[in-house]
Amino acid sequence: MIEKIESINQLEGWTKRDIFSVRILSLLNSYGTKYQFCTFYRQITDGKITALLSRLDGNFTLSLESGFDGEELVHFFCVTGYTSILTSDEFELSDRFEQGAVMLCTSKRDIALPAGCELDEYPKLMDLYNFIDYNEQDFKAWYVDISHRVRHGTAKAYALKLDGEIISSGVLSSICDGLAILTAVRTGDSFRKMGYGSALVSAICADVSKGVYIMRDENLNESFYKKLGFENIGKWRMFR
C-alpha cells in the first residue's frame, strides 16, 4: 500500500539513511507536509515501511528498503505521472534512464587552505549562482528554495575566495541527521588542478559530522574524489 504522508510521525520505524532518504528527509524537514508542490509518500508492505518517496513538482526521489513492492511502485508512477525519478539501481522501470555512481566520505582530512584564500560559509547567493552557472535554472526559483533550506538548516553553501573573488564553490543541498549531499562543486577555469577544489571539498567534509554523499557521472572525477576519502558505495539511476 502506498499512502501520502500527512505527519512526520508516519515515518516512525524508518531508519535508513542512504543518499536518497537523506534527500527526501531533508526536503521534508525544509517544507513539511502542507504544500501542494511538495508531497511525500510511504509504501507499507507486511506492516513495514519498504519505500519512501518525495515529489517536488513532478520530480520524485525514491528510497528503497528490503522487501519493497516494485510492481506497486511502477503502477504508482504510471498513474501519477512524473518528470523524473531519482533512485538506486535496484528499481526497474521500462523507461530511459541515466546512471552513475554514489560515493560517500566519512573521513576528515586536514588540508590547509591555500595561501591567500579564505572560506566563506555564507556567500552571497547571487554571486554563487553566477559563479556556478546553473544554465537554464531560474534564479528566483533557485534563490527562494536554497535560501529557505539554509534558514531551516537543511542546506549550506560554501565559497573559496582569493582576493575577495570566488574561485571554487560547493553546496550541501540536503542535510539530515549529520549526513549531507554535496552538489555544485566547481572551480574556476583559471584555478583548476592547483589544489583549490580539493581544499574546499575537504573543508566541507570536515564540517559535516557523519558523512558526505556525492552523485557523479559514471566515468568522471572518480580519482579526484577517491583522493579526498570518498568511496564508491552504489549506483544512482535517473528515469525521465
Side-chain angles (χ1 to χ4, degrees):
M1 175 179 65
I2 297 176
E3 59 184 15
K4 187 176 180 181
I5 294 173
E6 304 289 352
S7 167
I8 198 167
N9 294 331
Q10 290 175 266
L11 294 179
E12 290 182 5
W14 179 272
T15 59
K16 189 169 188 176
R17 293 296 183 269
D18 63 351
I19 188 172
F20 310 107
S21 59
V22 167
R23 182 178 165 107
I24 294 167
L25 294 172
S26 172
L27 187 64
L28 179 60
N29 291 334
S30 298
Y31 289 101
T33 59
K34 63 182 179 180
Y35 295 101
Q36 291 188 350
F37 70 87
C38 180
T39 51
F40 304 88
Y41 304 86
R42 66 177 187 173
Q43 180 188 66
I44 304 292
T45 307
D46 296 329
K48 172 188 172 184
I49 304 176
T50 51
L52 197 62
L53 304 89
S54 67
R55 180 186 64 82
L56 183 60
D57 295 322
N59 300 301
F60 283 89
T61 301
L62 168 64
S63 180
L64 301 169
E65 189 55 274
S66 60
F68 72 91
D69 187 336
E71 290 186 7
E72 183 181 49
L73 287 166
V74 169
H75 178 72
F76 172 82
F77 288 123
C78 290
V79 171
T80 59
Y82 60 88
T83 303
S84 68
I85 304 169
L86 176 64
T87 186
S88 72
D89 60 351
E90 296 176 90
F91 184 65
E92 296 183 358
L93 184 66
S94 58
D95 203 349
R96 292 180 300 173
F97 63 85
E98 305 165 32
Q99 185 168 287
V102 176
M103 302 186 81
L104 173 65
C105 178
T106 57
S107 63
K108 312 296 179 184
R109 302 201 172 193
D110 186 15
I111 298 179
L113 294 181
C117 291
E118 62 175 354
L119 180 65
D120 187 352
E121 297 185 24
Y122 302 96
K124 292 181 179 179
L125 294 180
M126 172 65 87
D127 294 341
L128 191 67
Y129 175 86
N130 290 333
F131 178 78
I132 295 172
D133 186 13
Y134 277 99
N135 297 321
E136 298 179 0
Q137 171 70 57
D138 176 69
F139 170 73
K140 184 177 180 181
W142 176 84
Y143 176 85
V144 169
D145 180 52
I146 192 68
S147 58
H148 180 88
R149 292 173 185 251
V150 169
R151 288 197 306 273
H152 285 77
T154 57
K156 188 173 182 180
Y158 300 80
L160 188 66
K161 293 184 175 180
L162 182 64
D163 297 328
E165 297 294 324
I166 298 176
I167 62 171
S168 191
S169 69
V171 176
L172 297 177
S173 58
S174 301
I175 301 172
C176 179
D177 294 341
L179 295 164
I181 302 172
L182 178 60
T183 62
V185 177
R186 180 180 183 270
T187 299
D189 294 345
S190 302
F191 300 95
R192 292 179 181 175
K193 298 185 179 180
M194 300 170 67
Y196 294 113
S198 297
L200 177 63
V201 172
S202 294
I204 293 172
C205 289
D207 196 35
V208 179
S209 61
K210 292 182 181 178
V212 175
Y213 290 103
I214 63 162
M215 288 172 43
R216 64 172 180 81
D217 290 339
E218 193 75 63
N219 300 311
L220 291 179
N221 302 322
E222 182 176 12
S223 60
F224 171 80
Y225 285 107
K226 278 190 171 181
K227 289 177 182 177
L228 299 177
F230 284 83
E231 297 180 357
N232 292 312
I233 61 167
K235 301 284 187 180
W236 60 266
R237 184 172 285 182
M238 177 76 81
F239 295 92
R240 298 184 188 277

